[in-house]
Amino acid sequence: MTIKNVTDASFADDVLTSGDTVLIDFWAEWCGPCKQIAPALEEISTEYDGKINIAKVNIDENPETPGKYGVRGIPTLMIFSGGEHIATRVGAAPKSQIAAWIDEVLKEAAA
């Protein structure tokens, strides 16, 4: 699975009405920690194919969506399921911690 770039204009279609579970990475080009987690998200997008879609929103190019969801620091990861925001994680973390967080959120969402 490839990571999809989402814009303010496409957010509703790509995330809210897609019917899928989507992890959004709010990031910016100048953000070191954002660049640090990018390879982990690439790997997760492949390993979790069919379970969760990974998408990125560049906050500099798309300020409306992060403002709507209260993004104050980056990277901010948010998980949406069925169009509902169900989880948020702020800051960089190793791939193992991001994957464990995703697993926990998916388990809770299925319960």
Side-chain angles (χ1 to χ4, degrees):
M1 182 83 200
T2 58
I3 293 179
K4 183 172 196 156
N5 288 310
V6 174
T7 65
D8 286 340
S10 71
F11 190 82
D13 287 339
D14 291 336
V15 179
L16 301 179
T17 61
S18 72
D20 296 326
T21 301
V22 183
L23 183 153
I24 301 290
D25 173 22
F26 291 96
W27 70 288
E29 286 285 340
W30 48 264
C31 170
C34 299
K35 292 178 182 177
Q36 190 179 10
I37 68 167
L41 293 176
E42 288 283 347
E43 291 176 22
I44 288 169
S45 74
T46 301
E47 294 169 11
Y48 284 70
D49 190 21
K51 292 183 189 175
I52 192 166
N53 295 336
I54 310 291
K56 294 172 104 40
V57 173
N58 182 318
I59 66 162
D60 290 332
E61 296 171 1
N62 303 284
E64 185 180 309
T65 303
K68 181 179 179 181
Y69 289 97
V71 174
R72 300 279 179 254
I74 54 173
T76 292
L77 304 177
M78 290 187 179
I79 297 179
F80 289 78
S81 183
E84 297 292 319
H85 170 227
I86 61 171
T88 301
R89 180 184 180 105
V90 180
K95 178 186 167 195
S96 60
Q97 289 181 13
I98 296 170
W101 173 68
I102 293 169
D103 289 340
E104 180 182 322
V105 172
L106 293 177
K107 183 175 151 190
E108 288 175 10

